[in-house]
Amino acid sequence: MQGKKKYQEKLFTDFRLSDRIPKENFYRRLKEALDLEFLYPLTKGFYGQSGQKSIDPVVFFKLCLVGYLENIPSDRRLIEQCALRLDVLYFLGYGIDEELPWHSTLSRTRQLYPESVFEEVFTKVFALCVESGMVSGHTQVVDSAPVKANASMDSLELKVPEEDLEDHLRKVRALSARDKETPIRKAKGDKSEEGQRQISANEKELQALKSRNKKWSKDQDQRPGAGNKNSKYTSNKTHYSPTDPDARISVKPGKARKLNYTSQLTVDASNHVITDIGAYLADGKDNQHLPEVVRSVGRRLWKHGLLWENLLADTGYSSGENYALLEHKGITSYIPPHGTYKGGPKGFTYDENEDHYRCPQDQVIPFKKVFLDYRTGTKKREYRASKHVCKACSLKTACLGKSHEKRITVTHFRAEYERNNARIKSPLGRYLKAKRQATVEPVFGTLTQHMAMGKVYTLGLAQAEKCMKLAATAYNLKKWLKFTKKTVKSGAAGLAVYFAALKTEIKAILSLFRPVSRPTQIQLG
C-alpha cells in the first residue's frame, strides 16, 4: 500500500537536540573536547557593570571558529547557516527555539577584544596539540602569502595635496590616453592619518619609479593585471588607500596588483601544526619580518618545553643578518641565498685566516673597513688594493676599468652565507627543500581555499591579525580532533591484541595449577 506523508505543526513536542546529533559528529566531539571557560575571566574587564548583557564570549569564539571551519567569511551568512544546522546549534549551546545573536554583534565584539585575547585562544589550542604529541618542535617551516585586503584599487589616492595633483602627475608618471578615459572612484571616507597621506620616498626612489612607469606605459596592455582599473601606475610610495590605510599594493608574478596584507606562517614539520601566524604590511620584505617571526615562535616553543633546531624557508628570507641571528640563537638555517650573493669577484680567492683576497696575479687585496650601505641598509666589508699594486699588471684594463685601484665590496656576513650554502647543497639540504615545499604550501592552500582566509573582511592591520589567528586556530583544532580520533582507534586495537595475549597467558598459567586426578585405587585381596 502506498504511503503518503502529511506535515502538520504540533502544539507540543518532545525533542532533545543531543539525541539528534550522532556521537561521531565533528561538532559534538569538538564540544566535548574544547574547553573555553578561561575566556570569562579573560574578557571580564572589557565590559561594564550595568546595561544590556553582551554576547557570551564563548559563543562568540565558537561562532568565529565555525565560520572558518565551514569556509564562511561573511558574518551575516554565518548566522543564517548556523540557524539551519542542528550540530552547530548543539556546539554553540543553543536550542532550536532560541534566536542566535545578530550578525553585527560579531563585528563589534571582534573590534572590542584586543589581539592578546585571540592570541590566548590560539595558544590554548596549540597546547592541546603539544599534549597530544603532534608537535616535535625541532624543525619549523616559514613561508608567506598575500591575503586580499577589504579595499579596492579604484579608490586609491595620491599622497599629495589636491592643489598639487596635476604637477605631481606630470613629474612622477607618464599620462596615457587610457588614464584619461578611466574614471577614478572616490572612497566614501578617508580613514588615514596625516602621515599616511604624505610622500615618504626620497628623490632617488621617485626617479626610479618614474623610469619604471615610462616603461610600463609602452606595454601596459600586455602586462598581467593591466585591465585592473587604475592599477597601472600605482606605488606605495605615491599612493594610499583611504578605505584601509594599512593595506599595501603588492603583486606576484603573473597576477594583478592588489591591495593586500602579508601572512607570515610557521608550521611544525612533524604533523603540519601551525605554530605561529601573523599579519604584516604587504610592502615589507620577508627577510625583514623573519626576526619578529623567530622571536614569536621561539617564545611559544620554549613555553611548552620544545627544542627548536632547524628552520626551513625560501629565498625571500635570505639575508646575512638573518643567518647571523639564527646562528646566535642556536638554530640551523636551511634558506637558499638570493641571486645577488656571489661571495666575491670571479677568479679571486679569499683567505679566511688572513682576511684578504688574492687576485689571479697572486696580489693581495687587504681588508680596509666595515660600512653601512645606505641603499640596502646592510653592513658590508670593503677590500681595496693600492694603485701601485695594480699599476704594472697586464690585466689592469680588464680588471679595473676606469678606476685606478681594485676595490671589492662583499657582505659583512660572508662566513654565515658560506656555512648556510654548504648546508643547502648537502644531501640533507636537498631533502629538506622538498620537505619544506610539502609542508607549508598545503597548509596555506587549505587556509586560503577552504578556511575563509583568501580575503580579510575587516579594516586595519590589527583586525587582519585577529582573523588570521582565528583561521589558524580552527585549522589546528581540526587536525587535533582528527589526530586524537586516529590515536584512540589505534590504541583500542592495540589494547585488544594485548588483552587477547594476556588472556592466553593467564590460561596457560592456570593450567599449571589444575588438580591432578587421583589414581584408581586397587583393592588387594
Side-chain angles (χ1 to χ4, degrees):
M1 180 177 178
Q2 185 185 42
K4 187 176 182 181
K5 177 72 174 67
K6 292 183 179 181
Y7 175 74
Q8 184 177 359
E9 291 281 355
K10 294 181 180 180
L11 184 59
F12 300 100
T13 183
D14 183 15
F15 180 86
R16 292 181 62 184
L17 190 58
S18 59
D19 295 338
R20 300 289 178 170
I21 312 301
K23 292 183 178 180
E24 292 300 315
N25 179 268
F26 174 81
Y27 287 105
R28 182 172 191 134
R29 293 172 51 232
L30 186 59
K31 179 182 176 66
E32 295 170 354
L34 183 62
D35 183 13
L36 296 177
E37 293 295 319
F38 68 93
L39 286 170
Y40 293 117
L42 187 64
T43 60
K44 187 175 182 180
F46 303 109
Y47 298 99
Q49 299 298 323
S50 60
Q52 188 177 1
K53 288 186 178 181
S54 71
I55 181 176
D56 188 319
V58 173
V59 172
F60 165 73
F61 275 96
K62 284 185 175 182
L63 278 168
C64 291
L65 292 175
V66 170
Y68 290 100
L69 289 168
E70 299 292 330
N71 196 19
I72 304 175
S74 168
D75 292 339
R76 186 189 298 269
R77 192 157 62 90
L78 172 63
I79 297 299
E80 293 174 356
Q81 293 295 321
C82 289
L84 302 176
R85 293 275 300 272
L86 294 182
D87 55 349
V88 175
L89 288 174
Y90 180 73
F91 172 63
L92 297 175
Y94 275 72
I96 58 174
D97 56 343
E98 289 184 272
E99 187 176 356
L100 290 173
W102 192 247
H103 65 85
S104 62
T105 308
L106 299 182
S107 177
R108 291 196 299 269
T109 307
R110 190 184 295 111
Q111 296 176 19
L112 172 67
Y113 294 155
E115 298 172 50
S116 58
V117 176
F118 295 82
E119 171 70 20
E120 187 66 23
V121 175
F122 174 81
T123 302
K124 290 289 184 181
V125 174
F126 178 74
L128 295 176
C129 298
V130 174
E131 293 170 4
S132 300
M134 298 175 63
V135 184
S136 62
H138 61 79
T139 302
Q140 302 295 312
V141 188
V142 182
D143 201 0
S144 68
V147 178
K148 181 73 173 65
N150 192 19
S152 171
M153 291 285 288
D154 297 341
S155 61
L156 288 177
E157 297 285 350
L158 283 163
K159 294 182 177 181
V160 289
E162 187 175 353
E163 59 270 15
D164 297 335
L165 178 61
E166 293 301 326
D167 287 340
H168 183 76
L169 288 174
R170 284 192 292 268
K171 291 179 181 178
V172 176
R173 72 180 189 178
L175 281 172
S176 66
R178 183 166 182 154
D179 292 321
K180 297 175 182 177
E181 295 170 0
T182 303
I184 298 177
R185 188 179 67 191
K186 290 283 186 180
K188 293 181 180 179
D190 196 332
K191 300 182 180 180
S192 63
E193 299 176 356
E194 184 177 353
Q196 293 172 318
R197 304 172 196 152
Q198 298 174 355
I199 295 178
S200 57
N202 55 39
E203 292 295 330
K204 289 187 177 181
E205 290 174 328
L206 290 177
Q207 184 63 33
L209 182 64
K210 178 181 178 181
S211 301
R212 289 199 299 270
N213 287 341
K214 284 185 177 180
K215 182 180 178 181
W216 287 342
S217 64
K218 295 178 182 178
D219 57 350
Q220 58 182 344
D221 295 324
Q222 284 74 37
R223 284 188 309 103
N228 199 9
K229 294 181 181 179
N230 200 31
S231 66
K232 301 179 293 300
Y233 305 116
T234 51
S235 169
N236 292 308
K237 301 183 185 300
T238 57
H239 292 74
Y240 74 98
S241 170
T243 307
D244 187 357
D246 288 340
R248 296 290 187 270
I249 305 166
S250 66
V251 64
K252 278 204 166 186
K255 295 186 179 180
R257 297 158 64 81
K258 292 182 179 180
L259 287 166
N260 296 322
Y261 288 100
T262 294
S263 175
Q264 296 288 345
L265 180 71
T266 309
V267 180
D268 187 80
S270 58
N271 286 288
H272 299 189
V273 174
I274 298 175
T275 53
D276 190 70
I277 191 170
Y280 295 83
L281 298 178
D283 57 349
K285 296 181 180 179
D286 288 341
N287 57 20
Q288 296 172 338
H289 301 319
L290 186 62
E292 185 175 347
V293 172
V294 170
R295 285 192 293 270
S296 179
V297 176
R299 285 195 300 266
R300 182 169 287 112
L301 295 178
W302 179 81
K303 286 180 181 178
H304 292 88
L306 299 174
L307 181 62
W308 186 5
E309 297 180 1
N310 304 317
L311 184 141
L312 316 182
D314 59 23
T315 308
Y317 296 88
S318 171
S319 75
E321 290 82 359
N322 288 341
Y323 294 145
L325 171 67
L326 293 171
E327 287 190 4
H328 176 71
K329 291 182 174 292
I331 302 172
T332 305
S333 64
Y334 291 88
I335 306 175
H338 48 75
T340 58
Y341 175 75
K342 301 299 180 185
K346 188 176 181 180
F348 288 69
T349 57
Y350 176 71
D351 190 328
E352 187 175 355
N353 296 326
E354 300 294 334
D355 192 18
H356 64 235
Y357 281 88
R358 284 189 177 273
C359 72
Q361 298 296 321
D362 203 31
Q363 295 294 328
V364 174
I365 304 173
F367 167 73
K368 289 296 181 182
K369 64 177 180 179
V370 176
F371 67 97
L372 187 67
D373 190 342
Y374 73 91
R375 293 180 295 107
T376 59
T378 59
K379 290 175 66 176
K380 291 190 175 182
R381 300 173 68 86
E382 181 181 300
Y383 299 82
R384 188 173 68 248
S386 173
K387 61 182 179 180
H388 300 292
V389 174
C390 303
K391 189 175 182 179
C393 180
S394 58
L395 303 176
K396 178 181 177 180
T397 304
C399 184
L400 299 183
K402 295 182 179 180
S403 60
H404 300 287
E405 56 188 15
K406 184 62 179 177
R407 182 173 176 266
I408 301 174
T409 302
V410 297
T411 175
H412 180 68
F413 304 97
R414 183 185 183 279
E416 287 82 355
Y417 266 103
E418 293 299 325
R419 287 192 288 269
N420 177 80
N421 294 353
R423 292 192 293 268
I424 291 296
K425 296 176 182 177
S426 66
L428 177 60
R430 292 192 292 270
Y431 165 76
L432 289 178
K433 179 183 178 182
K435 180 75 171 177
R436 170 179 62 82
Q437 295 170 342
T439 299
V440 70
E441 292 179 8
V443 177
F444 254 132
T446 302
L447 290 174
T448 56
Q449 302 300 319
H450 304 290
M451 303 196 78
M453 215 185 79
K455 178 180 178 179
V456 291
Y457 288 83
T458 56
L459 299 177
L461 184 65
Q463 300 301 317
E465 174 88 11
K466 298 173 186 178
C467 294
M468 293 181 188
K469 278 285 192 296
L470 286 170
T473 303
Y475 176 89
N476 283 348
L477 266 177
K478 195 170 184 178
K479 287 196 73 69
W480 175 69
L481 273 183
K482 186 177 181 180
F483 182 85
T484 52
K485 185 177 181 181
K486 284 184 177 180
T487 305
V488 169
K489 283 186 176 181
S490 61
L495 285 174
V497 174
Y498 170 75
F499 282 120
L502 184 62
K503 184 177 180 181
T504 303
E505 188 175 351
I506 291 174
K507 285 183 177 180
I509 294 173
L510 291 177
S511 66
L512 299 176
F513 296 95
R514 286 177 182 171
V516 181
S517 58
R518 295 179 180 179
T520 305
Q521 294 181 356
I522 302 176
Q523 295 182 356
L524 298 174

